[in-house]
Amino acid sequence: MDIPRRWYNIAADLPEPLPPLVDPPERDGRISLLASILPSRLIEDEYRLDRWVLIPHEVLEAYRKLGRPTPLARARGMEKQLGVDGRVRIYYKYEGVLPTGSHKLNTAIAQAYYASLDGASEVVTETGAGQWGLAVATAASLFSLKTTVFMTASSYERKAARRTLMAALGARVVPSPSRETRSGLEAIRAAGEGHPGSLGLAIAEAVEYTLADEHRRYLPGSVLEAVLMHQTVIGLEAEEQLAEEGVEPDVLVACVGGGSNFGGFTYPFLGARLRGEAYRKLRFVAAESSAAPKLTRGEYRYDGLDSSLMLPMAKMYTLGKDYVPPATHSAGLRYHGAAASLSLLKRMGYIEAVALPEDEVLAAARRFARSEGIIPAPESAHAVLAAELEARRLASRGGGVVVFNLSGHGLLDYEAMM
Amino acid sequence: MDIPRRWYNIAADLPEPLPPLVDPPERDGRISLLASILPSRLIEDEYRLDRWVLIPHEVLEAYRKLGRPTPLARARGMEKQLGVDGRVRIYYKYEGVLPTGSHKLNTAIAQAYYASLDGASEVVTETGAGQWGLAVATAASLFSLKTTVFMTASSYERKAARRTLMAALGARVVPSPSRETRSGLEAIRAAGEGHPGSLGLAIAEAVEYTLADEHRRYLPGSVLEAVLMHQTVIGLEAEEQLAEEGVEPDVLVACVGGGSNFGGFTYPFLGARLRGEAYRKLRFVAAESSAAPKLTRGEYRYDGLDSSLMLPMAKMYTLGKDYVPPATHSAGLRYHGAAASLSLLKRMGYIEAVALPEDEVLAAARRFARSEGIIPAPESAHAVLAAELEARRLASRGGGVVVFNLSGHGLLDYEAMM
Amino acid sequence: MALSRPGYSSYLTIAWPSPSEFQSLLHKLAPCTDFFELGLPARNPLYDGPTIRSTHREALRKVGSRGEALRLASRAASEAGARFIVMTYLWEHGGPRGLRSLVEDVAASGADALLLPDLLFEYPGLLVEYVDAAKNNGLQPAFFASSKFPHHILRLLAGMKPLLIYLGLQPATGASLPVAVKSNVALARELIEDSYLLAGFAIRSPETAIAVIEAGADAVVVGSELARLYKAGGAEAAAGLACAIKKALVARRG
Amino acid sequence: MALSRPGYSSYLTIAWPSPSEFQSLLHKLAPCTDFFELGLPARNPLYDGPTIRSTHREALRKVGSRGEALRLASRAASEAGARFIVMTYLWEHGGPRGLRSLVEDVAASGADALLLPDLLFEYPGLLVEYVDAAKNNGLQPAFFASSKFPHHILRLLAGMKPLLIYLGLQPATGASLPVAVKSNVALARELIEDSYLLAGFAIRSPETAIAVIEAGADAVVVGSELARLYKAGGAEAAAGLACAIKKALVARRG
Ligand SMILES: Cc1ncc(COP(=O)(O)O)c(C=O)c1O
Ligand SMILES: Cc1ncc(COP(=O)(O)O)c(C=O)c1O
């Protein structure tokens, strides 16, 4: 099997048009800000009419060298452990083989390449636990770009591993709030030196820092349609791999933070379904954290992509941009909203969602580690648990095939496993 | 490209016969002990006349699901960073895509499967920093075996990540010295509770613990010829991948702890060279740590595989079984000897060796991370530095192709990068 | 009545900067404008950029009601002898329940069409009712599509014989035209076959306009840049750009 | 003179447990043994297992010199009318410089061959000299190969017309014969063509012996198990196993 040559843009096949990004009524200029801080080719990807978008050669090369195609594996150990073997077949697509250990690299590579096309010298982003920051630092180094990552101060202290790794990659990791931006200074002035930081504040700092120099570009890690599109390499590979196995899935499962691994994994299948070409009975299950249950408990409306309204608003399922989720190990699923296309498809009933509590998720992670030999990222473990539930359900109805996306490994999240 | 179906046994092609394992004159019965604690199929692999050994179906399946074939990548960033681009092409084979992050899993899977063939219920091993222990815990869980890992007490305290991950996989991780074995109790009695442990002691405990129950098997992580043979999947894949690229290498480089990733990577090429079939001018460079410079400074003689002479002796380059290397981050390269076949080939001039100091190695690791986007394990970084040196040398002589094995990622060794 | 190909359209917010200035600006632009797109002042012009948004805010202070605004548009256009379509967000008019009366009012103003940018995004189920209402009132339907739009819906819209399909290219604000914009226009052209394709957003020079036309659009519309120029250099400056674009298009058709 | 096919060989350490017991044990085994492999007592019998090693330690205490041991072997064998080869480590005889005198002494003892297990592993460069010395002294060469052995060297050895090539199967100590042992024997057979293939180590029952012969060996040798049986049940017990194996082999040839 080879790497797909094209990304899939589901907007072309949606049953209804995708509501566009808009400026907040009370805060103009967010869209044009976006257009001026993002790599311009990313903006193009975000506003693409084409169903298929050619993956640039340089990105393909990087995909190949970093481990794409990623494996699709039969989860025989999991089947046995669940007692569904013989009736239900479970497969998983494994993105943890990528060097930063998660799917985040798929879009980071494209975005860093795009920044280099703009003649940028530096990329900038924010990070919580560090998955995205590490992916950006990695991708940036591949295209010889400097990296500055605003890392929430509390994570900066507690997540020494990813911070050190980013630094080893040459990234400058700045605890946020910092004294490098007006937003940072204001926060420090208001709350004192001990400010733990927040993702909203880190975004504001990253954007402000990006704006201060025209050779900087800001890279977003999820939620944008372009990001979901970049991730469709996952699903496109999976589709071909399942075909090679001669397998027709009954349910696809992935976890949802902003929606990029879910969209990346399911959209190629969902698109074929929407076009009426295949997968008539295929179900799509989104596994979210009960700490941030936007798809199951959120409202469908326009809301800010970030709490500080630095970025535009999207029409999506949201818990409100100021929602503060309870502490969990799954930092990547704490986002308050879900990508516009995913929200639309959920709204229309094409996608089902389930919110899962962390203790059960981590128990599933342990079961999976023992039965399959891979320690899942806490985020990805939501997909594991949801897949277990689906497998059990199928088993009680005569059998079937569950395929889920294992978006990353948990080697650096070992505290979650304690 | 598909996974190789067979392992390659270089003993069949060596220019001179491989000196066999022997019992220490002063300590009988080590070979028969080995035969009774190892999985019997592993013993068969260790005493194999065949040049090619079929990989069991179950092992192949596990290889596939866990990410084999692993990628072979062109290191364009590294070429550019070294200033040799245009003259020297550098490639690396990347074993870090495997779920525990290193090549160790290639043999752990085979060995755990072999243990299951014996009807064993539990596998046992020792570990220092935890790479091998984690690989065993992972492989064992795939074959539904219990795992007990004796981890040197000092690492047990300091390496919480790998310890926790092993536990998450269901392994019982016991700090050594423990109170579970006679050897452990004696060590505690002699040195008190604060005993930091040693690999020799951990081996002694693991062997003793294995012997206490016939359903236990002991799994060795390197040095044995069978282990090197299992690792030849690396080189066999690389050979095919290079052929697909239309590339003929000039130098192959890998790091050496006990020799398993070096042998696994180079032997398929070296074998073809020994048989006179190809690679007439190919050079083979072993990168060792100057903290344990057996190939460059050791003696070629029979010596114990472990300091406590629990296991037999092998004829090898050795610094003496009681050699205590200075502290380094490259725990996997601190071994006092090198596999028998590797030592023989070094002795005969087929393999060159270079000992590298840790500070330069870690600097190379950082350069590689920045230019290639992968954070190498400190062990693997020795191969990176040696490859840099070879690339520079080739560049000054008109150019060529360097291929090295990147045996693992350094995500869990971030302290080394600080 | 069909629109000219290639065509050039000027967007203005009705009553901006004031009713009289609006009227004279329209007058000034009319000779170089094939048809106007006139926006009803809105509280929340959702899909518009900052420049247009501010025109809405200012215009809102100048006209009291929809009726008043439409009468102003109607008067200005007929005095200038210009064709026009009206653009407004359905949301501003009470959503679905406001549709029919809105269509009637717009039809009464002499507009060729009513363009509701939020129709398909926020009220996709209202498509048939909108087309029906438009036709019943002597309007041709006009549709707003984004550059991230389902292909089957573009085809469906084309099948409804609209006056035009407006393709929003936002937010391509770079100086040179990004490749994706060209490919979006070309693909839209393919999907809607010979329907009239009006492309807008982010056009501010004759070169860009030509590029968009060459990619497959029938017409381009300029809005923000006209407002900016007007603020900077008055009606002359705005008309300068409009006429330069119109000239370039005519020259190209040659 | 060629060895019989299939053949059975008993290994004994010369002078173990004592010169006289050795002599009578050999006598007892002779009727069922096609040829003996007699080991010169060694200080460090490198490749041998614990049982044989202890026989060496004990025997060393009973004989003073190589000459004495060889005379004992010679006498015992001729009295029993048995053929024998002598096994010893070259290392024990001063290595390379001791080779010629060792060969002469062994030839003088009436042995058919001198087997030096460490020759090819520790002194691979001495191969030609060994073959030369052996032939000059009326001995046929005999070689020891392990089950992890270069194929080209096995072929080379076969080309030297040896009396036998001994294939060490160690340390296959399981009850049933592992698959690898069978495939090793079969492959060795293929590589050495019709050279005489003697297989040893870890054989302790007629069944294993038959299996090894069926896999392609010409003969099997038993050592450790004979020593164990002798210690446990005397010469009768040892002969019991030897004769059972011999009988099984003959029956099979039937
Ligand atoms: C391993 C992993 N999986 C999933 C997610 C969730 O993000 P998304 O929904 O964009 O895939 C994250 C985010 O950090 C992650 O790190
Ligand atoms: C990543 C990595 N590379 C290399 C080694 C060295 O071992 P070997 O020489 O057996 O490949 C180790 C051992 O732990 C390791 O973890």
Side-chain angles (χ1 to χ4, degrees), chain B residues 66-88:
Chain B
L66 297 178
R68 302 218 72 89
T70 60
L72 177 88
R74 170 82 178 271
R76 285 187 199 276
M78 183 174 171
E79 292 167 12
K80 233 179 268 160
Q81 191 269 319
L82 288 174
V84 301
D85 48 323
R87 287 167 296 162
V88 177

Side-chain angles (χ1 to χ4, degrees), chain B residues 33-43 46 111 115 118 210 216-220 224 311:
Chain B
L33 175 76
L34 204 62
S36 62
I37 59 176
L38 298 186
S40 44
R41 185 75 181 267
L42 184 65
I43 280 288
E46 186 66 20
Q111 294 189 38
D118 285 353
T210 305
R216 293 178 185 151
R217 288 294 179 282
Y218 172 78
L219 309 191
L224 291 185
L311 308 176

Side-chain angles (χ1 to χ4, degrees), chain A residues 95-96 100-104 107 127-133 162 221-224 227-228 231 234 254-264 287 294 330-335 337-339 342 376-381 405-410 413:
Chain A
E95 292 293 297
T100 63
S102 85
H103 69 291
K104 296 277 175 190
T107 184
T127 199
Q131 281 275 26
W132 175 239
R162 287 209 182 86
S222 187
V223 202
L224 291 185
V227 175
L228 272 65
Q231 296 292 359
I234 304 172
C255 69
V256 175
S260 73
N261 92 86
F262 181 90
K294 54 251 175 181
S330 305
L333 302 192
R334 294 159 59 84
Y335 192 67
L342 197 166
E379 292 87 356
S380 321
N405 188 43
L406 193 67
S407 55
H409 66 60
D413 306 282

Side-chain angles (χ1 to χ4, degrees), chain A residues 12 14 28 47-49 315, chain C residues 53 122 151-152 170-171 184:
Chain A
L14 289 175
D28 254 356
Y47 289 89
R48 269 291 203 184
L49 190 56
K315 189 149 187 195
Chain C
R53 290 165 80 91
E122 295 294 327
H151 297 186
H152 60 104
Q170 71 163 351
N184 286 351

